Amino acid sequence: MLAASVNCDNLVLSGEGRRPAPLSKGFSMAYMIVLDTETAQIGGACGRPRPQDSRVYDLGYTIVDTKTLDVVASRSFAIIDTFANIQLMRSAYYANKLPQYFEGMRGKGRAWKPVTFLEAWAQVKQDVKTYNVRKVGAYNCEFDRKALNATLRAYSNGFAAYFMPYGVKWIDIWDYASCITATPAYLDWCEAHQLFTPSGNPSTTAEAVYGFLTNSAEYVENHTALEDAKIETAIFAAARKKHKKTRHTVGRGWQDAAALNKKRNK
């Protein structure tokens, strides 16, 4: 079984990270960001969240050295603009987890740094500059990209439209992980643990893939932003270490595993 290679237990939670090493001349991408968001929905929760109607209340990310795959820093922000809107927060997709945020913001348990969304945005822009970030990854990245942009437009009163600085490219770790999920070993794992979607395709969620990598069928995602960003970082690192051709598309992370499963069952 392939083990995830990133040590997710030693990440910095409160925003402190070690100073990056000097960049080599001409080296265009030294570090990347892997992020996750948790959101509440404008108009209440009706079915699955729509990113364009989302407001981010939890933003977490790791900063990864793309040469060594080491995590050099992490950030964990509770967005007070969203938390202050009680009606909006009632629509949070994982509303049952909200009490831990209030504890964490008071310094008990896990740490979230309470900031405005514009303060979090400023920190991201500073990290992009400091660490020479050229790529940002997320699992099913279109949701996070659109949710962050929608939140920025709302909280900046339309002054700013795009969360990531110009030139930073989004990559979908869901798709990138196809070199893990479109394999006989992964399909065997899904069959052994009955990890299939209602349509009969192998499950390729971050939760399922991380469970495979760590040989933990009982693994359940925390569904808080930094904790989920950590496992997405581990999935990215595991896929990168395979040194195999994989997808660089967006939103199609299920397709290769589904195709291989269909071929096997003919």
Side-chain angles (χ1 to χ4, degrees):
M1 186 67 63
L2 178 66
S5 58
V6 174
N7 183 350
C8 292
D9 295 326
N10 296 321
L11 297 179
V12 182
L13 291 177
S14 62
E16 297 297 328
R18 75 168 185 259
R19 188 177 182 83
L23 303 178
S24 301
K25 186 176 181 180
F27 187 57
S28 62
M29 187 184 74
Y31 298 88
M32 72 174 287
I33 285 173
V34 176
L35 64 76
D36 187 66
T37 62
E38 300 298 334
T39 63
Q41 300 295 298
I42 297 294
C46 299
R48 293 192 63 82
R50 287 162 40 94
Q52 61 269 36
D53 297 328
S54 295
R55 297 295 178 266
V56 174
Y57 67 82
D58 182 7
L59 169 62
Y61 60 93
T62 64
I63 303 172
V64 184
D65 185 318
T66 58
K67 295 179 100 174
T68 66
L69 299 178
D70 290 334
V71 172
V72 299
S74 65
R75 315 283 185 230
S76 184
F77 298 123
I79 307 303
I80 58 178
D81 317 59
T82 308
F83 272 97
N85 188 329
I86 296 174
Q87 183 175 359
L88 178 61
M89 286 303 295
R90 287 177 181 153
S91 72
Y93 200 58
Y94 294 105
N96 61 309
K97 294 184 175 290
L98 294 181
Q100 67 181 302
Y101 286 94
F102 296 114
E103 291 297 314
M105 282 188 279
R106 288 196 291 265
K108 299 177 182 178
R110 198 182 3 243
W112 278 274
K113 184 176 182 181
V115 297
T116 67
F117 190 76
L118 296 184
E119 288 172 333
W121 183 44
Q123 180 64 65
V124 170
K125 291 189 292 181
Q126 182 59 55
D127 284 336
V128 167
K129 181 178 180 180
T130 301
Y131 290 91
N132 196 29
V133 170
R134 292 294 177 267
K135 290 186 179 180
V136 55
Y139 215 87
N140 191 18
C141 71
E142 277 295 273
F143 182 91
D144 298 283
R145 183 182 70 82
K146 291 179 180 179
L148 287 165
N149 289 345
T151 305
L152 179 61
R153 289 166 186 160
Y155 293 154
S156 69
N157 292 318
F159 176 76
Y162 300 105
F163 186 79
M164 282 295 164
Y166 179 79
V168 176
K169 180 182 178 181
W170 284 84
I171 64 171
D172 198 334
I173 296 174
W174 185 25
D175 291 43
Y176 195 81
S178 290
C179 63
I180 297 170
T181 58
T183 61
Y186 185 77
L187 296 188
D188 289 344
W189 167 268
C190 289
E191 289 178 1
H193 301 288
Q194 291 300 297
L195 296 174
F196 290 90
T197 68
S199 59
N201 293 321
S203 175
T204 54
T205 63
E207 184 173 279
V209 176
Y210 189 73
F212 168 73
L213 292 173
T214 57
N215 195 24
S216 175
E218 295 78 25
Y219 177 76
V220 178
E221 270 189 296
N222 192 272
H223 294 301
T224 55
L226 180 58
E227 293 303 308
D228 289 357
K230 290 180 184 181
I231 73 164
E232 292 166 21
T233 301
I235 293 169
F236 173 80
R240 181 79 173 271
K241 283 180 175 290
K242 288 178 74 70
H243 300 291
K244 290 186 177 180
K245 184 178 180 180
T246 192
R247 278 188 175 271
H248 294 274
T249 52
V250 172
R252 299 179 182 179
W254 60 275
Q255 290 185 347
D256 292 344
L260 180 60
N261 186 57
K262 184 176 180 180
K263 183 178 179 180
R264 288 212 316 179
N265 292 326
K266 275 187 176 180

